[in-house]
């Protein structure tokens, strides 16, 4: 698994590289000093994972995420932020990042997050998901074209998939969904994959945002 590190502070990059080097199945293939450099290197190196600082001079991590997701669709972006779910992180998640961690996270948590994002999961706790929805409900990104498009996407879901999608929108994990709907966790997992495919979501973060626009998430407007 190829990893690209992006941070304007050399000390942070060095520390991350030292920690990740030698981890089973991981290879740090490059480092970038800002967003523009990250986009250039992502195009050249085609990493599986981009560990992206949010706040950098010049092109920040949000715009870099947007461009990388568009130009290197196989790459997954994990944001690193100083503050838990600040407005920059919300913009980054909407831009296509697969999750976020704070910079003071334990090394083991960062490693686990990288592996989870690589596997197609999103790294965002249910409590953070609910705060994300709260911020969205406060007026961020409520655009009618997005709402209509999201609603159209949800019409492709079966009744069972719709039930599971509503639980995803609440921030529930696969195990929590299985318990609520009295299903095997393996059944939930396979349904989640089909749901993401039908609605065009890369991961849980994008699914939650789409659910908000479709009026299915807590705090979202019904249209």
């Amino acid at each position: 698994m190829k990893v690209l590190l992006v941070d304007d502070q050399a000390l942070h990059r060095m520390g991350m590289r030292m920690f990740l080097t030698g981890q089973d199945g991981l290879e740090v293939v490059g480092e970038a000093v800002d967003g523009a450099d990250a986009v250039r290197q992502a195009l050249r190196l085609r990493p599986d994972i981009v560990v992206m600082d949010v706040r950098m001079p010049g092109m920040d991590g949000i715009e870099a995420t947007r461009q990388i997701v568009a130009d290197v669709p196989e790459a997954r972006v994990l944001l690193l932020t100083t503050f838990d779910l600040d407005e920059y992180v919300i913009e980054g998640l909407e831009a296509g990042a697969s999750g976020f961690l704070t910079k003071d996270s334990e090394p083991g948590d960062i490693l686990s997050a990288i592996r989870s994002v690589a596997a197609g999961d999103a790294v965002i706790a249910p409590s953070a998901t609910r705060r994300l929805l709260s911020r969205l409900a406060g007026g961020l990104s409520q655009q009618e074209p997005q709402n209509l498009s999201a609603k159209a996407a949800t019409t492709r879901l079966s009744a069972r998939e719709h039930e599971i999608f509503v639980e995803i929108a609440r921030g529930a994990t696969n195990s929590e969904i299985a318990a609520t709907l009295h299903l095997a966790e393996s059944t939930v997992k396979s349904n989640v994959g089909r749901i993401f495919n039908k609605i065009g979501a890369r991961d849980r973060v994008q699914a939650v945002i789409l659910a908000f626009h479709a009026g299915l998430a807590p705090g979202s407007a019904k249209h």
Side-chain angles (χ1 to χ4, degrees), residues 116-137:
S116 294
V117 167
D121 293 329
V123 181
I124 177 168
S127 60
T129 301
R130 290 167 191 136
R131 278 181 286 147
L132 167 62
L133 291 171
S134 176
R135 292 292 292 272
L136 288 171

Side-chain angles (χ1 to χ4, degrees), residues 156-169:
R156 306 179 192 121
L157 303 179
S158 68
R160 172 62 78 192
E161 289 166 349
H162 192 276
E163 279 186 305
I164 292 173
F165 186 42
V166 170
E167 292 301 314
I168 292 172

